[in-house]
Amino acid sequence: MLRRIGHELLLLSGDSTSRVLPIKKIAENEYQIRFEKEFTFDPIFLVNTTKRLLAKDPLVNDYVVKVLNASDGSVAYGYAISKNKKDEIIACVGRKQPRAHYMINIKLKPAGINTVKNGYLLGSLPFLAFVGFIFFRSVKPGRALPNDDQHKDMITLGSVLFDTKNRKLNINEKVIELTGTETRLLLIFARSPNETVERSRLQKEIWEDEGVIVGRSLDMFISKLRKKLELDPTINIVVIRSRGYRLEINA
């Protein structure tokens, strides 16, 4: 999962050839993702990607992420994710980071571990204070603090950032508009990646509420979606004969 985080970051930056180096364990429950070359990244994509991938591990509840400049070890960006939402710290998600040689440190707090006894929470406090400092320095007086709720409609699919609210795809820094029907269709696939979705279900959820189902309409919209997603070679909508379709996302 940690390698997948690095892989998806590189794809979003337009790099599909350089390597994610072997994951390095740097302390108890703390790991480092290293990269072969420089890249740039969007903080909200990093936040959403780690949330999506690490949520698959039932043993991980809370974690702290630090993005470091490999040249001097300085912190370029950081945030803390917690099962208890009020303890999360996510700052400055709207500012794309410049191209540089980064390393990503992820400190996990496994579920069931006493945080005071094992020192996880105490060890993270200086960094959390630092993140808070960045957060308040980055917000001008009188301006509303960033609200992560505005990004709840963002879904990552491979290197694609799917903005369901504004009906847009962001692929390798290119923005592609979607129609309302294309958005509803892709949202169904996005909620069940790498799983077969029955043709009858797609027709029912997309068109039945409008009082009409046109047999070939589904094929037409699938074709349009394929074309819009083709900028990311790791994503494809494939036909499952006599059943339906599947959104395949390959690492």
Side-chain angles (χ1 to χ4, degrees), residues 38-62:
E38 295 182 346
F39 65 97
T40 181
F41 70 95
D42 188 329
I44 187 57
F45 182 84
L46 175 60
V47 171
N48 286 342
T49 299
T50 54
K51 278 188 173 182
R52 172 170 54 85
L53 293 177
L54 294 180
K56 296 178 180 180
D57 189 338
L59 298 180
V60 175
N61 277 340
D62 305 345

PDB file of all heavy atoms in Angstrom, residues 38-62:
ATOM      1  N   GLU A  38      12.806  13.597  -9.256  1.00  0.00           N
ATOM      2  CA  GLU A  38      12.003  14.693  -8.746  1.00  0.00           C
ATOM      3  C   GLU A  38      10.570  14.590  -9.282  1.00  0.00           C
ATOM      4  O   GLU A  38      10.327  14.005 -10.325  1.00  0.00           O
ATOM      5  CB  GLU A  38      12.602  16.041  -9.174  1.00  0.00           C
ATOM      6  CG  GLU A  38      13.962  16.342  -8.584  1.00  0.00           C
ATOM      7  CD  GLU A  38      14.463  17.712  -9.017  1.00  0.00           C
ATOM      8  OE1 GLU A  38      13.881  18.276  -9.973  1.00  0.00           O
ATOM      9  OE2 GLU A  38      15.416  18.217  -8.399  1.00  0.00           O
ATOM     10  N   PHE A  39       9.634  15.183  -8.545  1.00  0.00           N
ATOM     11  CA  PHE A  39       8.249  15.241  -9.008  1.00  0.00           C
ATOM     12  C   PHE A  39       7.543  16.372  -8.271  1.00  0.00           C
ATOM     13  O   PHE A  39       8.059  16.948  -7.314  1.00  0.00           O
ATOM     14  CB  PHE A  39       7.524  13.909  -8.770  1.00  0.00           C
ATOM     15  CG  PHE A  39       7.351  13.538  -7.319  1.00  0.00           C
ATOM     16  CD1 PHE A  39       6.171  13.804  -6.651  1.00  0.00           C
ATOM     17  CD2 PHE A  39       8.393  12.923  -6.615  1.00  0.00           C
ATOM     18  CE1 PHE A  39       6.012  13.451  -5.314  1.00  0.00           C
ATOM     19  CE2 PHE A  39       8.242  12.577  -5.279  1.00  0.00           C
ATOM     20  CZ  PHE A  39       7.044  12.844  -4.629  1.00  0.00           C
ATOM     21  N   THR A  40       6.348  16.705  -8.732  1.00  0.00           N
ATOM     22  CA  THR A  40       5.503  17.681  -8.048  1.00  0.00           C
ATOM     23  C   THR A  40       4.228  16.975  -7.604  1.00  0.00           C
ATOM     24  O   THR A  40       3.886  15.916  -8.150  1.00  0.00           O
ATOM     25  CB  THR A  40       5.159  18.861  -8.976  1.00  0.00           C
ATOM     26  OG1 THR A  40       4.360  19.812  -8.262  1.00  0.00           O
ATOM     27  CG2 THR A  40       4.412  18.387 -10.218  1.00  0.00           C
ATOM     28  N   PHE A  41       3.531  17.527  -6.619  1.00  0.00           N
ATOM     29  CA  PHE A  41       2.313  16.868  -6.156  1.00  0.00           C
ATOM     30  C   PHE A  41       1.308  17.883  -5.631  1.00  0.00           C
ATOM     31  O   PHE A  41       1.662  18.979  -5.206  1.00  0.00           O
ATOM     32  CB  PHE A  41       2.625  15.830  -5.072  1.00  0.00           C
ATOM     33  CG  PHE A  41       3.075  16.415  -3.757  1.00  0.00           C
ATOM     34  CD1 PHE A  41       2.166  16.645  -2.734  1.00  0.00           C
ATOM     35  CD2 PHE A  41       4.413  16.733  -3.543  1.00  0.00           C
ATOM     36  CE1 PHE A  41       2.576  17.183  -1.520  1.00  0.00           C
ATOM     37  CE2 PHE A  41       4.829  17.266  -2.335  1.00  0.00           C
ATOM     38  CZ  PHE A  41       3.920  17.495  -1.321  1.00  0.00           C
ATOM     39  N   ASP A  42       0.052  17.478  -5.691  1.00  0.00           N
ATOM     40  CA  ASP A  42      -1.049  18.272  -5.160  1.00  0.00           C
ATOM     41  C   ASP A  42      -1.379  17.722  -3.768  1.00  0.00           C
ATOM     42  O   ASP A  42      -1.716  16.544  -3.637  1.00  0.00           O
ATOM     43  CB  ASP A  42      -2.264  18.150  -6.088  1.00  0.00           C
ATOM     44  CG  ASP A  42      -3.375  19.108  -5.709  1.00  0.00           C
ATOM     45  OD1 ASP A  42      -3.507  19.415  -4.509  1.00  0.00           O
ATOM     46  OD2 ASP A  42      -4.123  19.538  -6.605  1.00  0.00           O
ATOM     47  N   PRO A  43      -1.290  18.522  -2.706  1.00  0.00           N
ATOM     48  CA  PRO A  43      -1.533  18.019  -1.352  1.00  0.00           C
ATOM     49  C   PRO A  43      -2.855  17.291  -1.175  1.00  0.00           C
ATOM     50  O   PRO A  43      -2.909  16.261  -0.494  1.00  0.00           O
ATOM     51  CB  PRO A  43      -1.476  19.292  -0.497  1.00  0.00           C
ATOM     52  CG  PRO A  43      -0.532  20.180  -1.232  1.00  0.00           C
ATOM     53  CD  PRO A  43      -0.831  19.934  -2.678  1.00  0.00           C
ATOM     54  N   ILE A  44      -3.945  17.783  -1.785  1.00  0.00           N
ATOM     55  CA  ILE A  44      -5.228  17.123  -1.582  1.00  0.00           C
ATOM     56  C   ILE A  44      -5.216  15.724  -2.195  1.00  0.00           C
ATOM     57  O   ILE A  44      -5.838  14.793  -1.673  1.00  0.00           O
ATOM     58  CB  ILE A  44      -6.398  17.966  -2.159  1.00  0.00           C
ATOM     59  CG1 ILE A  44      -7.747  17.341  -1.796  1.00  0.00           C
ATOM     60  CG2 ILE A  44      -6.275  18.129  -3.662  1.00  0.00           C
ATOM     61  CD1 ILE A  44      -7.987  17.156  -0.319  1.00  0.00           C
ATOM     62  N   PHE A  45      -4.470  15.556  -3.289  1.00  0.00           N
ATOM     63  CA  PHE A  45      -4.370  14.232  -3.891  1.00  0.00           C
ATOM     64  C   PHE A  45      -3.609  13.292  -2.956  1.00  0.00           C
ATOM     65  O   PHE A  45      -3.988  12.132  -2.782  1.00  0.00           O
ATOM     66  CB  PHE A  45      -3.654  14.322  -5.242  1.00  0.00           C
ATOM     67  CG  PHE A  45      -3.556  13.002  -5.951  1.00  0.00           C
ATOM     68  CD1 PHE A  45      -4.596  12.537  -6.722  1.00  0.00           C
ATOM     69  CD2 PHE A  45      -2.419  12.217  -5.828  1.00  0.00           C
ATOM     70  CE1 PHE A  45      -4.510  11.305  -7.371  1.00  0.00           C
ATOM     71  CE2 PHE A  45      -2.320  10.992  -6.464  1.00  0.00           C
ATOM     72  CZ  PHE A  45      -3.370  10.539  -7.236  1.00  0.00           C
ATOM     73  N   LEU A  46      -2.539  13.790  -2.338  1.00  0.00           N
ATOM     74  CA  LEU A  46      -1.778  12.974  -1.392  1.00  0.00           C
ATOM     75  C   LEU A  46      -2.647  12.590  -0.201  1.00  0.00           C
ATOM     76  O   LEU A  46      -2.666  11.429   0.220  1.00  0.00           O
ATOM     77  CB  LEU A  46      -0.536  13.739  -0.927  1.00  0.00           C
ATOM     78  CG  LEU A  46       0.297  13.062   0.170  1.00  0.00           C
ATOM     79  CD1 LEU A  46       0.816  11.703  -0.289  1.00  0.00           C
ATOM     80  CD2 LEU A  46       1.461  13.967   0.589  1.00  0.00           C
ATOM     81  N   VAL A  47      -3.384  13.554   0.347  1.00  0.00           N
ATOM     82  CA  VAL A  47      -4.252  13.288   1.497  1.00  0.00           C
ATOM     83  C   VAL A  47      -5.302  12.235   1.137  1.00  0.00           C
ATOM     84  O   VAL A  47      -5.502  11.248   1.860  1.00  0.00           O
ATOM     85  CB  VAL A  47      -4.941  14.585   1.978  1.00  0.00           C
ATOM     86  CG1 VAL A  47      -6.014  14.259   3.032  1.00  0.00           C
ATOM     87  CG2 VAL A  47      -3.924  15.560   2.564  1.00  0.00           C
ATOM     88  N   ASN A  48      -5.983  12.429   0.008  1.00  0.00           N
ATOM     89  CA  ASN A  48      -7.043  11.497  -0.387  1.00  0.00           C
ATOM     90  C   ASN A  48      -6.494  10.110  -0.712  1.00  0.00           C
ATOM     91  O   ASN A  48      -7.126   9.090  -0.423  1.00  0.00           O
ATOM     92  CB  ASN A  48      -7.803  12.046  -1.595  1.00  0.00           C
ATOM     93  CG  ASN A  48      -8.726  13.188  -1.225  1.00  0.00           C
ATOM     94  OD1 ASN A  48      -9.057  13.375  -0.067  1.00  0.00           O
ATOM     95  ND2 ASN A  48      -9.121  13.978  -2.202  1.00  0.00           N
ATOM     96  N   THR A  49      -5.307  10.073  -1.322  1.00  0.00           N
ATOM     97  CA  THR A  49      -4.717   8.786  -1.690  1.00  0.00           C
ATOM     98  C   THR A  49      -4.337   7.985  -0.448  1.00  0.00           C
ATOM     99  O   THR A  49      -4.605   6.779  -0.358  1.00  0.00           O
ATOM    100  CB  THR A  49      -3.488   8.983  -2.586  1.00  0.00           C
ATOM    101  OG1 THR A  49      -3.880   9.649  -3.790  1.00  0.00           O
ATOM    102  CG2 THR A  49      -2.858   7.652  -2.967  1.00  0.00           C
ATOM    103  N   THR A  50      -3.694   8.632   0.526  1.00  0.00           N
ATOM    104  CA  THR A  50      -3.327   7.906   1.746  1.00  0.00           C
ATOM    105  C   THR A  50      -4.572   7.463   2.501  1.00  0.00           C
ATOM    106  O   THR A  50      -4.628   6.347   3.022  1.00  0.00           O
ATOM    107  CB  THR A  50      -2.438   8.763   2.668  1.00  0.00           C
ATOM    108  OG1 THR A  50      -3.092  10.017   2.941  1.00  0.00           O
ATOM    109  CG2 THR A  50      -1.085   9.039   2.035  1.00  0.00           C
ATOM    110  N   LYS A  51      -5.591   8.306   2.532  1.00  0.00           N
ATOM    111  CA  LYS A  51      -6.833   7.921   3.220  1.00  0.00           C
ATOM    112  C   LYS A  51      -7.453   6.696   2.563  1.00  0.00           C
ATOM    113  O   LYS A  51      -7.875   5.751   3.240  1.00  0.00           O
ATOM    114  CB  LYS A  51      -7.832   9.086   3.185  1.00  0.00           C
ATOM    115  CG  LYS A  51      -7.626  10.145   4.252  1.00  0.00           C
ATOM    116  CD  LYS A  51      -8.775  11.130   4.226  1.00  0.00           C
ATOM    117  CE  LYS A  51      -8.712  12.100   5.386  1.00  0.00           C
ATOM    118  NZ  LYS A  51      -9.861  13.029   5.400  1.00  0.00           N
ATOM    119  N   ARG A  52      -7.507   6.712   1.237  1.00  0.00           N
ATOM    120  CA  ARG A  52      -8.160   5.618   0.516  1.00  0.00           C
ATOM    121  C   ARG A  52      -7.392   4.312   0.658  1.00  0.00           C
ATOM    122  O   ARG A  52      -7.973   3.253   0.912  1.00  0.00           O
ATOM    123  CB  ARG A  52      -8.291   5.986  -0.967  1.00  0.00           C
ATOM    124  CG  ARG A  52      -8.793   4.852  -1.862  1.00  0.00           C
ATOM    125  CD  ARG A  52      -9.130   5.366  -3.244  1.00  0.00           C
ATOM    126  NE  ARG A  52      -8.039   6.084  -3.840  1.00  0.00           N
ATOM    127  CZ  ARG A  52      -7.030   5.507  -4.516  1.00  0.00           C
ATOM    128  NH1 ARG A  52      -6.997   4.194  -4.656  1.00  0.00           N
ATOM    129  NH2 ARG A  52      -6.068   6.230  -5.056  1.00  0.00           N
ATOM    130  N   LEU A  53      -6.070   4.364   0.510  1.00  0.00           N
ATOM    131  CA  LEU A  53      -5.282   3.139   0.530  1.00  0.00           C
ATOM    132  C   LEU A  53      -5.075   2.596   1.945  1.00  0.00           C
ATOM    133  O   LEU A  53      -5.193   1.397   2.185  1.00  0.00           O
ATOM    134  CB  LEU A  53      -3.935   3.372  -0.155  1.00  0.00           C
ATOM    135  CG  LEU A  53      -4.020   3.633  -1.668  1.00  0.00           C
ATOM    136  CD1 LEU A  53      -2.637   3.933  -2.238  1.00  0.00           C
ATOM    137  CD2 LEU A  53      -4.632   2.448  -2.394  1.00  0.00           C
ATOM    138  N   LEU A  54      -4.772   3.477   2.899  1.00  0.00           N
ATOM    139  CA  LEU A  54      -4.532   3.002   4.259  1.00  0.00           C
ATOM    140  C   LEU A  54      -5.822   2.574   4.956  1.00  0.00           C
ATOM    141  O   LEU A  54      -5.780   1.822   5.924  1.00  0.00           O
ATOM    142  CB  LEU A  54      -3.805   4.076   5.075  1.00  0.00           C
ATOM    143  CG  LEU A  54      -2.376   4.383   4.602  1.00  0.00           C
ATOM    144  CD1 LEU A  54      -1.741   5.464   5.478  1.00  0.00           C
ATOM    145  CD2 LEU A  54      -1.513   3.138   4.601  1.00  0.00           C
ATOM    146  N   ALA A  55      -6.962   3.050   4.445  1.00  0.00           N
ATOM    147  CA  ALA A  55      -8.243   2.622   5.020  1.00  0.00           C
ATOM    148  C   ALA A  55      -8.482   1.132   4.783  1.00  0.00           C
ATOM    149  O   ALA A  55      -9.304   0.509   5.460  1.00  0.00           O
ATOM    150  CB  ALA A  55      -9.387   3.433   4.417  1.00  0.00           C
ATOM    151  N   LYS A  56      -7.756   0.542   3.825  1.00  0.00           N
ATOM    152  CA  LYS A  56      -7.919  -0.882   3.534  1.00  0.00           C
ATOM    153  C   LYS A  56      -7.273  -1.765   4.598  1.00  0.00           C
ATOM    154  O   LYS A  56      -7.504  -2.973   4.626  1.00  0.00           O
ATOM    155  CB  LYS A  56      -7.303  -1.199   2.160  1.00  0.00           C
ATOM    156  CG  LYS A  56      -7.999  -0.492   0.999  1.00  0.00           C
ATOM    157  CD  LYS A  56      -7.327  -0.812  -0.325  1.00  0.00           C
ATOM    158  CE  LYS A  56      -8.023  -0.096  -1.473  1.00  0.00           C
ATOM    159  NZ  LYS A  56      -7.380  -0.389  -2.787  1.00  0.00           N
ATOM    160  N   ASP A  57      -6.418  -1.161   5.439  1.00  0.00           N
ATOM    161  CA  ASP A  57      -5.760  -1.925   6.493  1.00  0.00           C
ATOM    162  C   ASP A  57      -6.527  -1.739   7.802  1.00  0.00           C
ATOM    163  O   ASP A  57      -6.492  -0.660   8.396  1.00  0.00           O
ATOM    164  CB  ASP A  57      -4.316  -1.441   6.668  1.00  0.00           C
ATOM    165  CG  ASP A  57      -3.516  -2.346   7.606  1.00  0.00           C
ATOM    166  OD1 ASP A  57      -4.149  -3.060   8.411  1.00  0.00           O
ATOM    167  OD2 ASP A  57      -2.288  -2.338   7.540  1.00  0.00           O
ATOM    168  N   PRO A  58      -7.233  -2.758   8.278  1.00  0.00           N
ATOM    169  CA  PRO A  58      -8.043  -2.617   9.492  1.00  0.00           C
ATOM    170  C   PRO A  58      -7.209  -2.392  10.747  1.00  0.00           C
ATOM    171  O   PRO A  58      -7.742  -2.043  11.796  1.00  0.00           O
ATOM    172  CB  PRO A  58      -8.799  -3.951   9.560  1.00  0.00           C
ATOM    173  CG  PRO A  58      -7.920  -4.922   8.818  1.00  0.00           C
ATOM    174  CD  PRO A  58      -7.298  -4.123   7.713  1.00  0.00           C
ATOM    175  N   LEU A  59      -5.895  -2.611  10.660  1.00  0.00           N
ATOM    176  CA  LEU A  59      -5.040  -2.443  11.833  1.00  0.00           C
ATOM    177  C   LEU A  59      -4.504  -1.020  11.973  1.00  0.00           C
ATOM    178  O   LEU A  59      -3.810  -0.703  12.922  1.00  0.00           O
ATOM    179  CB  LEU A  59      -3.868  -3.429  11.766  1.00  0.00           C
ATOM    180  CG  LEU A  59      -4.247  -4.915  11.766  1.00  0.00           C
ATOM    181  CD1 LEU A  59      -3.002  -5.780  11.687  1.00  0.00           C
ATOM    182  CD2 LEU A  59      -5.063  -5.261  13.005  1.00  0.00           C
ATOM    183  N   VAL A  60      -4.799  -0.172  10.997  1.00  0.00           N
ATOM    184  CA  VAL A  60      -4.292   1.209  11.038  1.00  0.00           C
ATOM    185  C   VAL A  60      -5.450   2.162  11.304  1.00  0.00           C
ATOM    186  O   VAL A  60      -6.419   2.192  10.544  1.00  0.00           O
ATOM    187  CB  VAL A  60      -3.593   1.585   9.718  1.00  0.00           C
ATOM    188  CG1 VAL A  60      -3.192   3.067   9.747  1.00  0.00           C
ATOM    189  CG2 VAL A  60      -2.361   0.712   9.501  1.00  0.00           C
ATOM    190  N   ASN A  61      -5.348   2.929  12.372  1.00  0.00           N
ATOM    191  CA  ASN A  61      -6.351   3.935  12.692  1.00  0.00           C
ATOM    192  C   ASN A  61      -5.842   5.339  12.393  1.00  0.00           C
ATOM    193  O   ASN A  61      -6.408   6.058  11.595  1.00  0.00           O
ATOM    194  CB  ASN A  61      -6.751   3.854  14.173  1.00  0.00           C
ATOM    195  CG  ASN A  61      -7.794   2.780  14.427  1.00  0.00           C
ATOM    196  OD1 ASN A  61      -8.481   2.352  13.516  1.00  0.00           O
ATOM    197  ND2 ASN A  61      -7.904   2.350  15.673  1.00  0.00           N
ATOM    198  N   ASP A  62      -4.760   5.735  13.067  1.00  0.00           N
ATOM    199  CA  ASP A  62      -4.231   7.087  12.962  1.00  0.00           C
ATOM    200  C   ASP A  62      -2.821   7.050  12.379  1.00  0.00           C
ATOM    201  O   ASP A  62      -2.091   6.077  12.556  1.00  0.00           O
ATOM    202  CB  ASP A  62      -4.164   7.755  14.343  1.00  0.00           C
ATOM    203  CG  ASP A  62      -5.523   7.742  15.050  1.00  0.00           C
ATOM    204  OD1 ASP A  62      -6.533   7.494  14.369  1.00  0.00           O
ATOM    205  OD2 ASP A  62      -5.551   7.981  16.267  1.00  0.00           O
TER     206      ASP A  62
END
